[in-house]
Amino acid sequence: MRAVPAWIDKVHDRDKVEQCIYDLAFKPDGSQLIVAAGNRVLVYDTSDGTLIQPLKGHKDTVYCVAYAKDGKRFASGSADKSIIIWTSKLEGILKYTHNDSIQCVAYNPVTHQLASCSSGDFGLWSPEQKSVSKHKVSSKITCCGWTNDGQYLALGMMNGVVSIRNKNGEEKVKIERPGGSSCPIWSIAWNPSKDEHNDILAVADWGQKLSFYQLSGKQIGKDRTLTYDPCCVSYFSKGEYIVLGGSDKQASLYTKDGVRLGTIGEQNSWVWTCRVKPDSNYVVLGCQDGTIAFYQLIFSTVHGLYKDRYAYRDSMTDVIVQHLITEQKVRIKCRELVKKIAIYRNRLAIQLPEKILIYELYSVDSSDTTLMHYSIKEKICRKFECNLLVVCSQHIILCQEKRLQCLSFTSVKEKEWLMESLIRYIKVIGGPPGREGLLVGLKNGAILKIFVDNPFAITLLKLSTSVRCLDMSASRNMLAVVDEHNTLLVYDINTKELLFQEPNANSVAWNTQCEDMLCFSGSGYLNIKASNFPVHQQKLQGFVVGYNGSKIFCLHVYSMSAVEVPQSAPMYQYLERRMFKEAYRIACLGVTDNDWRDLATEALEGLDFDTAKKAFIRVRDLRYLELINSIEERKKRGENDNELFLADVYAYQGKFHEAAKLYKRTGHESRALSMYTDLRMFEYAKEFIGATDPKNSRMLMTKQADWAKSSKEPRAAAEMYLSAGEHLKAIDIIGDHGWADMLIDIARKLDKAEREPLAKCAFYFKKLKHHGYASETYSKMGDLQALVQLHVETCHWDEAFSLVEKHTQFRDDVYVPYAQWLAENDRFEEAQKAFHKAGRQNEAVKVLEQLTHNAVVESRFNDAGYYYWMLSMQCLDIARESEEQMDEMLKKFERFQHLAELYHVYHSIQRYTDEPFSSHMPETLFNICRFLLSNLTKDIPLGISKVNTLYALAKQSRKLGAYKLARYSYEKLQDLHVPSRFQESIELDSLTIRSKPFHDSEDLIEGMMCYRCSTNNPLLNNQGSVCINCKQPFIYSASSYEVLPLVQFYLEEDISDEEAVSLIDLEVPHVDRKAARWQDMSSGESQSLKLDEGVDDSEEDPFTTKMSFEQGGSNFVPVKVSHSVLRSMSRRDVLIKRWPRPLKWEYFRSLLPDVSITMCPTCFKMFHSEDYELLVLQHSCCPYCRRPIDEPN
């Protein structure tokens, strides 16, 4: 590290009295320097040290200045107890005072709040506030500083205390230095680095100590002892270095950990203040005698390189070893100034101020060249002065001007060489351990070779100019030298002969893998030279320091990089000289695939088959490898005509004329001829033969004719075939070329009896996607099967259906593919209908079952209900058509009908629990939940949640006043696994329901009356949807799920459905009541007599009597009716479910004729008429079976 003075100025007042510089501050952009000198504030231009303007405003000595981080204003504080705030345009805008002289000022880096400190207090002023908030302190404040985030302010005191305050001035941390008031804190600074995890405070006190603290007050490391009283401490912008100045009349550079690195500018008096220019290596000092000195710090590069390992100094005290190939890095912390670095094989030497450390590369597996673990092997605890340091396996070499010293690792001086001139360059060039060779270049131009175990130096060469850089080739036969005139000279070591020289070189390196190649850098270019060929240039910044294979190691400023350089240029230089073996060696260092191919081709044409073979193997070209193989086989058999081999090579490369000439020259005309004819080069073949051999000419003519037919003029060839009547060949040519217009002409001209050509035409039309022409051709042939197939393949379904209408035998051929096509296109419902039409019931059922399963899985319960209903109807169809499957299918029909109804109702519950709004009335939901729970007595179908159902029932019961039922529901829910989203609601409701009465609303119970036996049923019935007394099943409305006033009745065995309907339709009027009643009461074998006691019971109905008479016991007794009862019924009171065969019709009698009930003619679900009409208006179909309203029954 060197400090170069940029400018120096000395400040006097008018009477030529020196003015002490108490403080300095840089503008954040670094362009201006604010100086506190006497009672003036001076503003300097930092670029050249010119005084821009002195600012007058203070009446006494100015002690402190500070610039705001945003660069808009700065402040100065003076012994006149005042603070002045100035703008960046150098105008004073504000002044405020304290009770004592101002000691220090600091701007908050974030909020731009100004802290001003005096002997007895400190104040906080911000541009937004009019007033200054002041806080008393117990001791004089000497220095202050804000943390990087602007949250805390540190104050250094005369009594040896550092007080850390928050933005409001409250003390948060107190750091007491051991010396107390005998060691006043004189300067503090926070580390500005953004990489540090903690805020770090550097504290310099007049106990001659430098210490570091965390924001918490915890000390970092030990105190660093100084040899002087420090007056100022200042960090570099990134926090990597510290500048300290004080009573030793100089400023010193330290690491951020407090390790001293060197001196910056010795002065004639105390250094009161020092500052680092933002984001730069410039430092300014202010002294007691008025001197302002501005220095530039130049950090030199300390580094060493051996093959692909590069060691360099970082942060002045660390060494980083970088593996240039793998980019691995390892950091060695020395905690002292690193002066020199040397690296060789597995050794690393680091010179520190008082010692030299020798590190060894620690490696378990010596073959692994990428390991990066270094451990200390030896320490030489002596101070050395040297210009250059070199390390070998067992020695270190120190070079001081003309003297070279060889020391063992135990610090024993083994040998010493004294040169006649200054040593300019030294390098270890390898050798056995303990006997390594050194290459040394001197200022007088001498180049020496020194062996560590030999006291005598060997002079290799003597140049006329000083040596800058040296390198020796891999085999030690050639020496490259760069002299001080930037000329590269290459010598043969043995003959001392100058082989060549090149201008504009600043450094040189031989390739470690290839004897004849070297590279050198200079004037922004990289130059590569192979043998004595011309130089190949490319742009490159920096110095070349190594050349390994195809990698060039280049040092630019401080960074070392490995540049991958393709070795194409030197390879081509060897190729031009037909030096194939050497070119191959260069190519092995690294060239592109195209370069390999060029090398292979050149070597092949040069008949160097060995090199060509290796190169073709690299590019994996099997064709040429086969050729080389066959030539090598022929050579083994004794052929040695190189011209014939070359002719084969030319033929392979497509140089046919050259090949033909060589064939002719070697007497192999037949080969040339067959080559031309195989390639269809008939004109060239004719030329080649000339008018000599008529036999050859004839052969040529026939080949050409065939060729013309097959390839050159296909349209002409096709016309020739047609005129010759060879339709099939012509159609093949035309079809292959896709000439549809010619093809349809042929198809139309052909007779319909010529089936084979027509079929071929149709085949090509299909291939060319001319479906209209194909259809026309099949129609002409009368091939209906093929026509149907065509329509199906092209998905022209309308044409296919119209064909099927006329020819029903193709029904399966159309509907099955149609259904599959619909299924593939996600039109499952239509697909299912199409399977049904095609008579493929099983496929239809399969599609529906899959649809149903999907609907359940996706929670589309409405669709699931619909699909189950469709499934049940299909089972009914199968039962009707197949006797043996009838029982099984009817069971399935019952199950699917039941499931359809369950999913249909569960849809409403699922919507109620999962969606925020419900379109159903509470009564409807209440009925639906009860219906569902009554029917969920056995196993619960997939997708239906008992929890959701009970939850919905509990909610609705509570709303409608069925508190007992609500309690029951909540109790049931306690036994089930409840989702977390209901948990809280259910627990709360379970508690609050206890405050309600323990009975259900009367109205609700009345709504559950059995219309057969007039028993009031409970709201929930575990026997299912039947009356608890007479076991008569309830009939529900399929929309509101209220119980309908219907009772199902059955016909006596001898009455058929048709007869029953005709009897009901009769509607016989009542005659003599007594006679009629007598007849009504005869049922089966029993005959009952009811005495009329004269009460006028004109309304008595034979059906009602039937209901009450046949009731009782625990088993369900159905209502069976005779002819006479049927005859007495009114048609409008009877609803009939006219199920298709093999099911029986079902009959229902309405007991409240005024209640209008509508039954869907497809699914036979019953509805209140007004509900049904509303739903049909909404959906334009039956809500249950989705039968469109305009579809006929």
Side-chain angles (χ1 to χ4, degrees):
M1 185 275 298
R2 287 182 299 131
V4 180
W7 53 265
I8 294 177
D9 192 23
K10 200 154 190 182
V11 181
H12 302 89
D13 63 5
R14 286 187 187 141
D15 308 329
K16 300 290 181 199
V17 177
E18 294 172 346
Q19 300 284 315
C20 174
I21 308 296
Y22 280 110
D23 202 3
L24 301 162
F26 277 100
K27 190 174 178 178
D29 64 4
S31 61
Q32 290 177 5
L33 177 67
I34 312 297
V35 180
N39 54 10
R40 293 179 301 164
V41 176
L42 308 179
V43 183
Y44 282 88
D45 184 332
T46 54
S47 59
D48 53 4
T50 51
L51 179 62
I52 298 173
Q53 195 179 338
L55 304 176
K56 295 170 185 164
H58 290 291
K59 298 181 177 62
D60 203 341
T61 309
V62 180
Y63 282 147
C64 50
V65 286
Y67 222 119
K69 195 75 184 268
D70 62 1
K72 289 181 183 168
R73 51 177 78 88
F74 61 92
S76 58
S78 158
D80 66 5
K81 307 179 186 176
S82 69
I83 310 275
I84 298 181
I85 293 172
W86 313 81
T87 66
S88 57
K89 297 193 174 72
L90 313 184
E91 297 159 346
I93 53 167
L94 186 107
K95 188 173 191 176
Y96 69 87
T97 57
H98 281 258
N99 296 333
D100 292 297
S101 64
I102 310 301
Q103 300 299 317
C104 55
V105 288
Y107 269 106
N108 186 313
V110 179
T111 62
H112 310 306
Q113 192 177 16
L114 178 68
S116 51
C117 309
S118 73
S119 306
D121 66 356
F122 69 94
L124 297 171
W125 173 84
S126 59
E128 300 82 48
Q129 292 172 316
K130 293 285 179 280
S131 61
V132 180
S133 57
K134 292 184 182 168
H135 306 267
K136 284 268 182 273
V137 285
S138 57
S139 173
K140 178 177 177 177
I141 302 173
T142 56
C143 48
C144 63
W146 291 95
T147 54
N148 301 330
D149 57 7
Q151 295 295 320
Y152 296 96
L153 172 69
L155 306 173
M157 316 271 209
M158 277 304 267
N159 62 2
V161 170
V162 177
S163 170
I164 298 179
R165 311 276 179 142
N166 66 10
K167 284 197 289 192
N168 303 326
E170 299 153 2
E171 184 167 82
K172 291 293 175 189
V173 179
K174 186 174 181 181
I175 301 168
E176 296 192 28
R177 299 285 294 136
S181 53
S182 63
C183 301
I185 309 291
W186 209 256
S187 185
I188 59 171
W190 292 98
N191 187 331
S193 169
K194 293 183 174 59
D195 303 333
E196 298 287 345
H197 298 306
N198 303 312
D199 289 301
I200 296 173
L201 180 68
V203 178
D205 65 31
W206 276 13
Q208 301 199 344
K209 297 277 195 298
L210 171 64
S211 337
F212 297 94
Y213 289 89
Q214 289 179 4
L215 180 59
S216 60
K218 183 182 170 200
Q219 187 166 357
I220 303 168
K222 296 195 178 80
D223 290 348
R224 301 274 179 176
T225 306
L226 307 172
T227 55
Y228 54 91
D229 290 331
C231 296
C232 51
V233 57
S234 179
Y235 273 98
F236 272 60
S237 300
K238 292 195 175 64
E240 68 270 54
Y241 302 116
I242 298 175
V243 181
L244 262 176
S247 63
D248 60 346
K249 302 185 182 179
Q250 63 181 20
S252 305
L253 185 70
Y254 290 77
T255 66
K256 62 181 178 185
D257 303 321
V259 177
R260 189 174 188 280
L261 299 175
T263 301
I264 309 166
E266 296 187 357
Q267 304 299 324
N268 301 322
S269 62
W270 282 32
V271 176
W272 273 108
T273 176
C274 55
R275 290 280 179 268
V276 182
K277 182 178 169 185
D279 300 315
S280 75
N281 289 346
Y282 286 92
V283 175
V284 64
L285 315 179
C287 307
Q288 176 79 39
D289 62 4
T291 304
I292 302 170
F294 197 68
Y295 290 95
Q296 181 183 8
L297 302 192
I298 295 169
F299 295 97
S300 53
T301 312
V302 175
H303 59 134
L305 173 81
Y306 177 74
K307 287 196 175 164
D308 45 20
R309 283 172 197 273
Y310 176 57
Y312 60 96
R313 179 172 75 180
D314 187 56
S315 302
M316 307 294 280
T317 58
D318 294 356
V319 174
I320 292 179
V321 185
Q322 176 184 1
H323 196 293
L324 295 172
I325 307 294
T326 63
E327 290 296 327
Q328 287 172 284
K329 286 185 179 179
V330 62
R331 180 183 290 272
I332 299 169
K333 293 198 171 190
C334 301
R335 295 188 172 78
E336 282 186 72
L337 174 64
V338 173
K339 297 181 81 171
K340 294 277 182 291
I341 299 173
I343 186 166
Y344 173 73
R345 288 198 182 149
N346 59 349
R347 296 275 184 270
L348 172 68
I350 302 174
Q351 185 188 8
L352 304 174
E354 303 292 333
K355 58 186 174 227
I356 294 179
L357 303 177
I358 313 292
Y359 287 83
E360 183 173 32
L361 186 62
Y362 171 75
S363 166
V364 183
D365 173 15
S366 57
S367 64
D368 186 354
T369 58
T370 60
L371 279 174
M372 298 291 284
H373 186 76
Y374 284 89
S375 57
I376 289 191
K377 180 177 168 62
E378 298 288 347
K379 283 186 187 175
I380 302 176
C381 295
R382 272 174 61 193
K383 186 172 181 175
F384 294 101
E385 281 302 325
C386 68
N387 305 352
L388 299 165
L389 175 72
V390 175
V391 66
C392 301
S393 302
Q394 296 163 10
H395 301 90
I396 58 164
I397 314 292
L398 301 171
C399 162
Q400 177 64 19
E401 296 186 342
K402 297 182 182 181
R403 176 179 283 114
L404 268 186
Q405 291 182 328
C406 172
L407 279 78
S408 70
F409 290 163
T410 53
S411 182
V412 177
K413 183 161 89 173
E414 293 192 355
K415 293 192 180 52
E416 182 168 302
W417 298 270
L418 198 60
M419 306 297 159
E420 68 246 34
S421 170
L422 291 177
I423 298 167
R424 290 290 300 271
Y425 190 89
I426 183 165
K427 181 174 188 172
V428 190
I429 51 170
R435 293 162 54 200
E436 286 89 355
L438 305 173
L439 203 55
V440 179
L442 305 184
K443 191 174 180 182
N444 66 359
I447 297 166
L448 310 169
K449 195 174 182 180
I450 295 175
F451 290 98
V452 172
D453 59 341
N454 186 342
F456 300 105
I458 303 158
T459 304
L460 293 178
L461 281 169
K462 190 88 170 61
L463 304 184
S464 55
T465 54
S466 172
V467 174
R468 272 187 66 174
C469 181
L470 288 171
D471 198 17
M472 202 179 259
S473 70
S475 63
R476 308 272 181 273
N477 287 329
M478 287 183 280
L479 180 67
V481 188
V482 176
D483 69 11
E484 64 182 0
H485 301 314
N486 288 357
T487 307
L488 166 68
L489 307 156
V490 177
Y491 291 89
D492 184 313
I493 291 178
N494 302 321
T495 64
K496 309 281 191 287
E497 175 197 351
L498 175 64
L499 299 175
F500 57 84
Q501 64 181 52
E502 295 283 346
N504 301 328
N506 56 24
S507 66
V508 64
W510 286 96
N511 195 323
T512 53
Q513 296 181 15
C514 182
E515 168 73 10
D516 291 341
M517 289 185 72
L518 62 77
C519 66
F520 61 95
S521 55
S523 314
Y525 282 96
L526 166 69
N527 306 274
I528 299 173
K529 188 168 175 75
S531 185
N532 51 0
F533 299 130
V535 169
H536 169 69
Q537 277 195 336
Q538 66 183 70
K539 276 200 163 57
L540 180 84
Q541 291 293 324
F543 295 87
V544 163
V545 288
Y547 189 8
N548 184 355
S550 65
K551 282 198 164 55
I552 286 177
F553 302 130
C554 164
L555 176 69
H556 183 44
V557 194
Y558 301 124
S559 68
M560 178 71 84
S561 56
V563 182
E564 186 80 52
V565 180
Q567 308 296 317
S568 315
M571 185 197 84
Y572 283 113
Q573 289 173 330
Y574 280 115
L575 278 186
E576 281 166 21
R577 304 277 178 95
R578 300 176 74 75
M579 298 164 75
F580 301 118
K581 298 269 186 296
E582 291 82 351
Y584 177 75
R585 271 210 343 263
I586 301 284
C588 287
L589 298 180
V591 293
T592 64
D593 274 0
N594 283 344
D595 297 336
W596 275 112
R597 189 171 288 285
D598 290 348
L599 169 62
T601 311
E602 293 280 339
L604 188 58
E605 288 182 15
L607 301 178
D608 181 346
F609 295 119
D610 192 38
T611 305
K613 190 174 185 175
K614 287 185 202 160
F616 278 126
I617 286 170
R618 280 289 182 125
V619 292
R620 301 190 174 166
D621 191 325
L622 297 176
R623 230 174 52 129
Y624 277 108
L625 286 171
E626 279 174 10
L627 171 68
I628 294 170
N629 229 14
S630 73
I631 291 175
E632 285 176 343
E633 290 293 323
R634 280 156 58 189
K635 274 188 162 178
K636 281 179 193 164
R637 291 202 297 271
E639 277 188 45
N640 56 3
D641 189 341
N642 278 347
E643 284 199 330
L644 184 56
F645 295 150
L646 195 54
D648 288 348
V649 170
Y650 283 155
Y652 256 71
Q653 289 177 344
K655 300 175 181 173
F656 303 118
H657 303 321
E658 288 95 324
K661 283 175 192 164
L662 283 173
Y663 281 134
K664 197 166 187 174
R665 201 184 304 165
T666 53
H668 290 82
E669 282 96 342
S670 59
R671 273 194 163 185
L673 196 59
S674 63
M675 174 182 79
Y676 277 135
T677 51
D678 287 350
L679 294 164
R680 306 291 184 255
M681 295 179 170
F682 297 109
E683 298 306 317
Y684 291 126
K686 277 181 196 166
E687 267 176 46
F688 184 74
I689 295 167
T692 51
D693 188 346
K695 187 175 132 194
N696 276 350
S697 300
R698 265 203 311 282
M699 177 193 78
L700 206 56
M701 290 298 287
T702 52
K703 277 192 176 179
Q704 190 175 0
D706 284 352
W707 177 240
K709 278 181 196 168
S710 60
S711 165
K712 261 200 175 161
E713 286 294 331
R715 198 178 273 268
E719 282 163 3
M720 283 165 63
Y721 278 132
L722 280 175
S723 55
E726 293 211 32
H727 290 125
L728 288 174
K729 283 187 179 177
I731 290 168
D732 276 342
I733 291 173
I734 294 167
D736 288 340
H737 286 81
W739 298 325
D741 48 350
M742 273 179 90
L743 204 55
I744 191 64
D745 286 345
I746 297 170
R748 284 172 182 158
K749 283 175 192 165
L750 282 168
D751 188 68
K752 65 179 176 190
E754 295 184 72
R755 293 185 74 78
E756 197 183 347
L758 280 170
K760 205 153 215 175
C761 285
F763 164 75
Y764 279 116
F765 284 135
K766 270 169 78 171
K767 193 172 166 185
L768 298 170
K769 300 207 168 35
H770 282 287
H771 303 120
Y773 288 164
S775 150
E776 184 185 326
T777 312
Y778 282 133
S779 302
K780 182 172 183 175
M781 291 164 65
D783 190 344
L784 289 175
Q785 177 79 39
L787 192 55
V788 167
Q789 197 63 36
L790 174 75
H791 290 324
V792 167
E793 280 172 18
T794 57
C795 301
H796 292 162
W797 301 111
D798 296 343
E799 289 94 323
F801 296 150
S802 61
L803 257 175
V804 169
E805 277 172 28
K806 294 175 198 157
H807 308 280
T808 49
Q809 68 268 35
F810 300 124
R811 182 185 171 127
D812 268 17
D813 297 337
V814 172
Y815 278 109
V816 174
Y818 176 56
Q820 281 164 345
W821 176 77
L822 286 168
E824 281 163 17
N825 286 291
D826 293 348
R827 291 159 62 181
F828 291 106
E829 292 179 27
E830 296 170 55
Q832 185 266 330
K833 285 174 186 159
F835 276 128
H836 205 60
K837 265 191 191 171
R840 297 283 186 97
Q841 302 292 9
N842 289 353
E843 271 101 329
V845 169
K846 249 186 218 157
V847 170
L848 253 184
E849 281 181 336
Q850 187 57 50
L851 270 176
T852 312
H853 181 71
N854 293 353
V856 171
V857 169
E858 293 166 16
S859 302
R860 293 185 290 107
F861 297 110
N862 214 4
D863 291 346
Y866 170 57
Y867 293 142
Y868 268 126
W869 178 77
M870 281 175 75
L871 262 174
S872 70
M873 297 315 280
Q874 293 210 347
C875 292
L876 199 54
D877 290 351
I878 296 169
R880 188 160 60 249
E881 287 161 18
S882 152
E883 283 288 327
E884 59 267 20
Q885 284 182 290
M886 188 160 90
D887 290 349
E888 181 201 347
M889 284 299 159
L890 286 178
K891 273 183 196 156
K892 273 193 170 181
F893 167 78
E894 291 296 336
R895 192 167 76 81
F896 288 156
Q897 281 272 329
H898 179 63
L899 283 172
E901 183 139 37
L902 292 190
Y903 281 120
H904 177 72
V905 289
Y906 185 63
H907 170 67
S908 304
I909 293 169
Q910 186 251 346
R911 287 206 27 204
Y912 170 72
T913 54
D914 290 8
E915 292 179 11
F917 306 109
S918 172
S919 58
H920 289 295
M921 300 292 284
E923 290 84 354
T924 308
L925 273 171
F926 179 69
N927 292 339
I928 284 174
C929 296
R930 286 185 14 255
F931 172 78
L932 187 58
L933 285 169
S934 301
N935 282 289
L936 285 182
T937 47
K938 295 195 184 102
D939 45 350
I940 297 173
L942 174 70
I944 292 182
S945 159
K946 202 164 182 179
V947 171
N948 284 3
T949 313
L950 279 166
Y951 177 67
L953 178 61
K955 285 282 199 193
Q956 302 312 320
S957 305
R958 193 183 178 126
K959 255 187 214 169
L960 298 170
Y963 300 121
K964 183 178 175 184
L965 182 56
R967 278 194 192 200
Y968 167 78
S969 305
Y970 284 125
E971 279 165 22
K972 278 284 186 199
L973 277 169
Q974 302 299 333
D975 306 341
L976 299 173
H977 176 69
V978 178
S980 52
R981 62 197 174 107
F982 295 153
Q983 196 89 43
E984 196 179 330
S985 164
I986 287 173
E987 285 171 3
L988 185 65
D989 290 352
S990 307
L991 290 173
T992 54
I993 194 71
R994 294 176 188 278
S995 64
K996 304 289 182 194
F998 191 75
H999 60 74
D1000 292 332
S1001 157
E1002 288 297 324
D1003 299 349
L1004 294 173
I1005 295 169
E1006 281 169 16
M1008 280 307 292
M1009 187 188 82
C1010 168
Y1011 283 98
R1012 177 169 174 183
C1013 66
S1014 303
T1015 309
N1016 274 355
N1017 274 265
L1019 293 176
L1020 254 193
N1021 179 357
N1022 57 5
Q1023 296 176 9
S1025 299
V1026 295
C1027 170
I1028 53 171
N1029 177 30
C1030 66
K1031 308 291 183 287
Q1032 177 73 31
F1034 292 127
I1035 316 296
Y1036 289 95
S1037 155
S1039 58
S1040 65
Y1041 281 85
E1042 292 171 11
V1043 177
L1044 294 174
L1046 295 176
V1047 173
Q1048 184 173 0
F1049 62 87
Y1050 299 83
L1051 307 177
E1052 288 181 348
E1053 279 77 2
D1054 56 342
I1055 306 174
S1056 71
D1057 288 334
E1058 288 76 9
E1059 191 182 349
V1061 172
S1062 64
L1063 283 170
I1064 293 167
D1065 286 346
L1066 275 176
E1067 277 198 59
V1068 176
H1070 293 294
V1071 276
D1072 175 14
R1073 259 198 330 276
K1074 286 178 187 171
R1077 195 175 299 137
W1078 171 254
Q1079 286 170 333
D1080 278 359
M1081 287 180 193
S1082 68
S1083 75
E1085 301 91 41
S1086 65
Q1087 207 173 40
S1088 314
L1089 178 67
K1090 182 170 180 187
L1091 291 174
D1092 181 3
E1093 293 174 352
V1095 180
D1096 183 12
D1097 195 357
S1098 59
E1099 289 303 311
E1100 184 61 80
D1101 179 349
F1103 182 76
T1104 322
T1105 343
K1106 209 78 179 158
M1107 287 197 310
S1108 53
F1109 259 69
E1110 299 187 355
Q1111 160 198 333
S1114 62
N1115 290 335
F1116 168 55
V1117 180
V1119 178
K1120 279 203 172 172
V1121 296
S1122 61
H1123 291 78
S1124 55
V1125 177
L1126 284 170
R1127 208 175 292 123
S1128 72
M1129 288 185 191
S1130 164
R1131 180 69 189 90
R1132 64 192 175 80
D1133 296 349
V1134 176
L1135 290 165
I1136 305 171
K1137 292 188 179 178
R1138 302 177 186 237
W1139 291 107
R1141 261 188 347 93
L1143 289 181
K1144 292 203 168 105
W1145 290 8
E1146 291 180 328
Y1147 297 86
F1148 298 86
R1149 167 78 189 269
S1150 170
L1151 298 180
L1152 299 176
D1154 298 343
V1155 176
S1156 175
I1157 296 169
T1158 305
M1159 179 174 75
C1160 170
T1162 309
C1163 59
F1164 304 125
K1165 287 289 169 205
M1166 317 276 199
F1167 300 85
H1168 283 301
S1169 296
E1170 62 267 31
D1171 287 358
Y1172 184 66
E1173 284 159 16
L1174 181 64
L1175 287 164
V1176 162
L1177 274 174
Q1178 282 174 355
H1179 303 291
S1180 11
C1181 61
C1182 167
Y1184 191 84
C1185 65
R1186 303 188 185 177
R1187 180 188 80 101
I1189 204 61
D1190 46 12
E1191 191 181 282
N1193 290 358

